[in-house]
Amino acid sequence: RKPRSLRIIVADHNPDATVSLAAVLRDEGHEVLEVFRGDSVLPLTATFRPDALILDIGMPGLTGFEIAHALRQNLGPACPTLIAVTAWSQPQARELGRLSGFSHYLTKPCSTDDLLKILSSLTISHPPR
């Protein structure tokens, strides 16, 4: 088991992408919730209290931009790390991601290694259980 286990929400409307990424993260020792609709993310964030959210941008219910903006506004400095993993690669989308509050913006297909490097740099924001 890795020294640092994180609580992570993976949200993407593509079930295959979500399930396979969640499996990789679990293999790394993380606790992962899989979500397929944007409007499910905010209530789950309140109860699961993740260290990081990996969000697609184009999801039904709420977009990744809307989720990031709401979390940053509601949680301020206590907001978990927000990582966009999306096919939206245009400069305007990247800028909107930055303005919405994403700490990282990766475009699909993204390297799992890049994502794991970002996650390994995080400190645990919840007390050990």
Side-chain angles (χ1 to χ4, degrees), residues 87-98:
W88 295 25
S89 60
Q90 310 87 335
Q92 311 90 293
R94 286 181 171 280
E95 178 63 6
L96 190 50
R98 188 186 66 74

Side-chain angles (χ1 to χ4, degrees), residues 56-57 63-70 88 93-94 96-97 100 102 105:
D56 185 24
I57 298 299
T63 68
F65 296 137
E66 292 167 324
I67 295 164
H69 180 74
W88 295 25
R94 286 181 171 280
L96 190 50
S100 299
F102 281 101
Y105 196 98

Side-chain angles (χ1 to χ4, degrees), residues 23-47:
V24 168
L25 296 173
R26 283 189 189 104
D27 284 349
E28 291 291 315
H30 302 300
E31 190 178 341
V32 184
L33 268 188
E34 301 158 17
V35 182
F36 307 107
R37 291 186 53 86
D39 48 11
S40 302
V41 174
L42 295 175
L44 286 172
T45 299
T47 56

Side-chain angles (χ1 to χ4, degrees), residues 4-10 21 24-26 28 30 32 51-54 81-83 104 106 112-124:
R4 279 196 287 200
S5 174
L6 299 171
R7 295 166 67 91
I8 302 168
I9 290 177
V10 176
L21 178 55
V24 168
L25 296 173
R26 283 189 189 104
E28 291 291 315
H30 302 300
V32 184
D51 299 294
L53 287 89
I54 299 171
T81 299
L82 303 176
I83 305 165
H104 305 276
L106 305 175
T112 308
D113 287 345
D114 289 347
L115 197 51
L116 292 176
K117 271 186 211 135
I118 291 168
L119 293 172
S120 70
S121 72
L122 299 181
T123 57
I124 296 181

